[in-house]
Amino acid sequence: MPNNKVEIKIINHSNNELPRYITEGASGMDVCAHLDLPQLELKPLERVLIPTGLFIEIPIGFEVQIRPRSGLALHKGITCLNTPGTIDSDYRGEIKILLINLSDQTQVLQTGERIA
């Protein structure tokens, strides 16, 4: 049987756990916000680049995709822009998630909150 595992080096500069599958049937891993303050207010139609504290090394020929969380969109009206966001194999900077508040109310994001 072939080995289908891909090695990805992850450096975590946050206090959050590493990205992980929340349920057995999940197709994507959840990523958490790593904010300078305990929380961030996001006004209606405001865009913000949210740091994760994560740095990764992806093998050549692979990519990582960032996709919005349906619960965040449903409950807070917050979604990802440039979806799906692509992280190329040669990118070595911090992973940041571009979010927008599409609701008509200011929304609050907490540090450690799952955002993608």
Side-chain angles (χ1 to χ4, degrees):
M1 184 169 265
N3 179 358
N4 293 328
K5 294 185 179 187
V6 176
E7 296 286 326
I8 298 176
K9 181 179 179 182
I10 301 175
I11 299 170
N12 186 357
H13 287 184
S14 78
N15 292 328
N16 299 324
E17 60 186 315
L18 289 174
R20 66 183 179 96
Y21 297 102
I22 299 299
T23 63
E24 186 176 321
S27 61
M29 296 179 179
D30 287 3
V31 178
C32 298
H34 177 59
L35 305 173
D36 292 333
L37 300 171
Q39 63 184 30
L40 171 87
E41 288 189 356
L42 191 58
K43 294 177 178 54
L45 299 180
E46 184 178 10
R47 299 178 307 273
V48 65
L49 200 56
I50 303 289
T52 64
L54 299 173
F55 298 78
I56 59 176
E57 290 184 17
I58 307 163
I60 292 174
F62 291 88
E63 68 169 325
V64 168
Q65 292 187 356
I66 304 297
R67 298 179 182 269
R69 291 187 46 78
S70 57
L72 203 56
L74 176 64
H75 300 293
K76 293 188 174 187
I78 296 175
T79 192
C80 295
L81 290 175
N82 195 37
T83 302
T86 297
I87 301 171
D88 295 310
S89 62
D90 60 350
Y91 180 72
R92 292 297 182 264
E94 180 180 11
I95 296 173
K96 296 182 180 180
I97 313 295
L98 182 57
L99 297 181
I100 186 168
N101 178 3
L102 296 176
S103 79
D104 60 356
Q105 299 175 359
T106 297
Q107 299 295 330
V108 176
L109 292 173
Q110 308 287 332
T111 194
E113 184 171 352
R114 294 182 288 157
I115 55 170

